[in-house]
Amino acid sequence: MTARPFGTSDRLRPFGESVFATISRLAARYGAVNLGQGFPNFDGPEFVKDAAIRAIREGRGQYARTFGLPEVTRAVAARFRATSGVEVDPDAEVTVTSGCTEASAAVMLGLVNPGDEVVLVEPFYDSYPACVAMAGGTVRTVRLRAPDFAFPLEDLRKAVGPRTKAILVNTPHNPLGRVLTRAELEGIAAIARAADCLVISDEVYEEIWYGEPHLSISTLPGMRERTVVLSSLGKTFSLTGWKIGWSIAPPALSAGVRAAHQFLTFCSATPLQRASVDALSAPRAYYEGLRADYRARRDLLLAELRGAGLDPYEPEGSYFVVAPHAGFGFAGDVEFVMHLVEKVGVACIPCSAFHMPGPDGCKDAEARSLVRFAFCKTPETLRAAGERLRSMGRVGRS
Ligand SMILES: Cc1ncc(COP(=O)(O)O)c(C=O)c1O
């Protein structure tokens, strides 16, 4: 026995277990249809899998160049040129990471100093505040609010100050499905320029949108030099377990990302990097097919949720739908989710996990008002979830 209090560091203790791990575990325990974590329950394209198998057979089993195989950084730069019209130097501006998750850790550890502030937009992807904490930074927040979840530019203006190092935006948005408009992005860009701070732009759902196409804030005037774009292969190619991601940023910012990345992982899995060249060279028809496919899945889940008495918000992008649980008689989103997992047999995510706690250590009522369903699932799974949800009794809207 030791008298010393060994355990999780003070920086990370407040974050506990990731909500996705918790919900996936509960889904397995209760045999629930899992619309929780955002991973497809179908496999990625055969041509990409074949490329990985070829790379393994060809003996691509050793470390890669730390910031990515040359052919991969070139393929990322070429794809970025095709989607955004912006030319980037693959050797100086692209860094291949182990998923966007590592990229967001590397960007914080490599560019944020202790005491710097980073503005996050609630609801946010849950790894962001943990990454800010690992870097010793401080989180400030602004919030997207129902019913339209418009970007709160006035709140952002108030949230940035002399200590703001970066504003982190995510579009298309998880969990709300917003695709930020040009006007919203121009508003954010103007605030970033005026405050002379960075923008970190998480664009992992860049290819999954249903109306207005995704626009990268890095393409707006005066933004390229202050933006770090983050993305990955996982969502676009239904290969979330491959964990191939990247950052795109001007050389001085990429140097910071790389300074952290080299000591986090040194490099990402070489054969999977090699196969991502084939993925990134996919013809336009692949991306169009992906969008058509997700539109059908989205419409199916919306219909199933409505059939069960829920009132979901229609997403403009990403593969998530949020819905309020008001009217079902539960105190908060966690209670509602626990009921769904244990009694109804459907797993989803309580959106309070995507908010910072208030000064009392608790999430406020607005933060606890929504639950998130993932529709990156087969039609059979989405229908099975709908069938179970329809068995749920409603107690009237409040
Ligand atoms: C907004 C957002 N960013 C980053 C990630 C993680 O991406 P990756 O699997 O490439 O690490 C996710 C995964 O769900 C996400 O939704």
Side-chain angles (χ1 to χ4, degrees), residues 327-339:
F328 289 90
F330 291 87
D333 58 345
V334 173
E335 291 81 356
F336 183 60
V337 166
M338 287 311 296
H339 174 75

Side-chain angles (χ1 to χ4, degrees), residues 99-101 125 128 170 174 202 204-205 232 235 240 243 320:
C100 180
T101 307
Y125 183 58
Y128 302 158
N170 165 221
N174 170 13
D202 179 339
V204 288
Y205 300 101
S232 78
K235 314 293 176 178
T240 57
K243 301 300 287 186
F320 303 107

Side-chain angles (χ1 to χ4, degrees), residues 149-271:
F149 303 111
F151 199 94
L153 289 172
E154 210 32 63
D155 295 348
L156 181 63
R157 211 164 276 124
K158 289 186 199 134
V160 300
R163 294 171 64 182
T164 306
K165 186 59 167 280
I167 302 165
L168 199 165
V169 295
N170 165 221
T171 182
H173 188 263
N174 170 13
L176 299 176
R178 278 295 325 280
V179 174
L180 295 181
T181 62
R182 178 178 288 274
E184 287 174 309
L185 293 170
E186 279 171 350
I188 299 165
I191 293 167
R193 284 193 305 265
D196 195 19
C197 69
L198 304 176
V199 170
I200 302 164
S201 182
D202 179 339
E203 304 181 9
V204 288
Y205 300 101
E206 60 188 311
E207 300 291 353
I208 305 176
W209 38 264
Y210 311 108
E212 276 304 300
H214 162 69
L215 175 68
S216 176
I217 194 168
S218 66
T219 64
L220 299 180
M223 291 310 290
R224 173 138 184 236
E225 58 265 37
R226 63 177 72 251
T227 304
V228 184
V229 173
L230 309 180
S231 193
S232 78
L233 212 66
K235 314 293 176 178
T236 307
F237 291 94
S238 309
L239 291 165
T240 57
W242 280 29
K243 301 300 287 186
I244 296 293
W246 53 84
S247 68
I248 302 174
L253 299 179
S254 286
V257 175
R258 291 174 181 189
H261 164 71
Q262 65 181 339
F263 295 125
L264 284 170
T265 54
F266 185 76
C267 69
S268 302
T270 308

Side-chain angles (χ1 to χ4, degrees), residues 282-301:
R284 182 197 288 245
Y286 172 79
Y287 299 97
E288 286 165 359
L290 179 82
R291 280 189 277 279
D293 188 49
Y294 271 125
R295 175 186 291 278
R297 292 178 208 271
R298 176 194 71 162
D299 293 347
L300 173 58
L301 180 62

